[in-house]
Amino acid sequence: MSDLKTRFREMARGAQTLGLGYIGVANGLFSALRGLGSARVEALAHAACMDEGYVRRWCDAAYAFGLLEADGDNFRLSEMGAALDPESEDTLMPVAGHAMMSMHMAERAASFMRDGARPGEAVMFERETLGPLFGPMLEGSFSRLFRKMIAPNLPVFAEVAERGGLVVDLGCGNGWYLRALLRDRPLLRGLGVDGFEGNIVQARALAEQAGMSDRLSFVQSDLHAFELDEKADLIAMNRALHHVWEAGAQTFIARLRDALKPGGVVAIWEPDWPEDRAQLRTPARQGFAFQNLTEHVQGNHLLRAVEIAQAFEDAGMGVEIFRFAEGQEAVIVARKAG
């Protein structure tokens, strides 16, 4: 029992560390301190436009948990703190963000479990500081995998890039996928669609910063009822198909097919829910099990790649499944007849 108590206390300290990390990320404290190099509390609070009393207590706590180092009254980033800076290469910011999102969703699941309520995706944006971080968390978590593994190994991207055309991202978040895809593919145009205004505002600003506003645009729309002014060459959905699945998968897939040009392609990226429950015990897939609980709150559930592929085949499309990250991530490519 003493070993079990020790393990739980260590987990609690880990949660507190990530909580402090989240506060620093959400309020720009790591970024501000990186810019200052070393600073007293007063200077850090001023640079981050935060209340000095809160910053003082945060600095002491962040020092206690190893996120900051101190030289007298001057604080600087530790190795862990620097890794949480959103601007650092391969930032670990998403770890802190996901930890806080998990706690928020766990609280909501604990409440809704009593009466079976499933209030939808809006529950993710109930917390003022969490919503703006959602897009950056996904970008930080998955952009490297996309750039290094997925994009180079899906022939359809090279095919579309060579001939040019319109790429549509449904459930685009902050637009990171389209920015990554269009960066080195000048013949492509992009349209991002998302149901949340905050995501669209963020996506437009980031596209402008990247110098892509001339060929990358974003619109707010319910994914269930999206409409395109022109047929698409490629429609992408990244960890978003499961958000519309329960409302009528076959009807939605028919909408996707009909929104494509002849020979056009849909690329669906989803975590691949395992057939064997025992796989959920592996560290890499434990997060799937927790996510599936929080998806239930939103009216969703995670999907198996084979059931997605079957649904597209039933709609008369040719299908291939590509797996990445040791099989945890699947991209289902479905082509409309030419």
Side-chain angles (χ1 to χ4, degrees):
M1 180 60 76
S2 61
D3 288 345
L4 194 57
K5 286 182 179 179
T6 298
R7 286 177 57 196
F8 269 81
R9 286 170 179 151
E10 288 173 350
M11 287 190 286
R13 283 193 291 271
Q16 289 170 331
T17 303
L18 291 171
L20 290 165
Y22 173 78
I23 293 170
V25 167
N27 291 312
L29 294 166
F30 292 120
S31 297
L33 195 50
R34 171 180 47 80
L36 294 169
S38 177
R40 296 171 64 93
V41 166
E42 299 86 347
L44 177 57
H46 177 76
C49 300
M50 293 290 139
D51 176 78
E52 183 180 319
Y54 273 100
V55 172
R56 186 176 305 279
R57 273 65 182 182
W58 179 80
C59 284
D60 284 339
Y63 169 78
F65 282 81
L67 300 179
L68 299 182
E69 302 291 356
D71 301 306
D73 290 333
N74 284 284
F75 291 94
R76 55 185 170 81
L77 295 177
S78 68
E79 183 179 9
M80 281 202 301
L84 286 167
D85 178 6
E87 300 302 318
S88 69
E89 187 176 3
D90 296 330
T91 177
L92 296 179
M93 171 273 289
V95 179
H98 284 302
M100 192 56 58
M101 179 69 80
S102 295
M103 292 301 99
H104 167 64
M105 295 301 292
E107 188 280 330
R108 304 315 286 143
S111 175
F112 298 137
M113 190 174 284
R114 301 169 187 177
D115 61 10
R118 303 175 73 191
E121 284 85 1
V123 71
M124 295 188 298
F125 297 90
E126 290 177 328
R127 301 295 182 186
E128 179 182 346
T129 59
L130 273 172
L133 283 180
F134 189 70
M137 286 191 307
L138 291 178
E139 181 172 3
S141 296
F142 300 111
S143 63
R144 183 179 178 84
L145 176 63
F146 176 73
R147 289 184 289 105
K148 298 293 186 180
M149 295 300 300
I150 294 178
N153 289 291
L154 257 65
V156 65
F157 289 129
E159 172 193 328
V160 174
E162 183 177 354
R163 70 169 184 263
L166 176 65
V167 179
V168 178
D169 185 4
L170 298 178
C172 65
N174 73 346
W176 71 264
Y177 180 98
L178 286 172
R179 281 184 279 111
L181 190 61
L182 268 62
R183 183 168 292 117
D184 299 317
R185 299 170 178 87
L187 297 181
L188 294 180
R189 294 172 291 117
L191 171 66
V193 182
D194 199 277
F196 293 95
E197 181 182 4
N199 287 342
I200 295 298
V201 170
Q202 197 174 85
R204 287 172 176 163
L206 290 169
E208 184 173 357
Q209 289 175 23
M212 294 182 177
S213 295
D214 59 332
R215 57 192 182 102
L216 181 52
S217 59
F218 298 91
V219 296
Q220 183 180 359
S221 176
D222 182 350
L223 295 190
H224 296 89
F226 77 93
E227 293 184 1
L228 304 180
D229 292 335
E230 66 174 288
K231 301 287 187 179
D233 296 87
L234 171 66
I235 298 177
M237 296 187 74
N238 306 301
R239 307 176 90 80
L241 182 66
H242 65 272
H243 285 263
V244 297
W245 190 267
E246 291 191 20
Q250 214 57 56
T251 299
F252 185 80
I253 285 173
R255 287 179 64 85
L256 292 177
R257 181 198 60 209
D258 294 345
L260 290 170
K261 294 177 181 177
V265 174
V266 175
I268 303 292
W269 179 1
E270 286 283 331
D272 191 5
W273 183 257
E275 294 279 355
D276 181 3
R277 181 182 285 111
Q279 292 183 36
L280 295 174
R281 281 283 182 92
T282 62
R285 285 186 168 85
Q286 285 176 328
F288 281 15
F290 187 90
Q291 182 184 350
N292 205 35
L293 170 61
T294 65
E295 292 291 350
H296 189 76
V297 172
Q298 302 169 59
N300 315 318
H301 69 276
L302 296 184
L303 307 168
R304 298 190 306 277
V306 291
E307 68 178 315
I308 299 172
Q310 185 61 58
F312 278 101
E313 288 180 358
D314 292 345
M317 301 178 72
V319 181
E320 290 182 273
I321 299 176
F322 299 82
R323 288 188 169 85
F324 301 91
E326 299 180 350
Q328 299 167 52
E329 305 290 329
V331 180
I332 299 89
V333 175
R335 187 180 298 271
K336 182 177 179 177

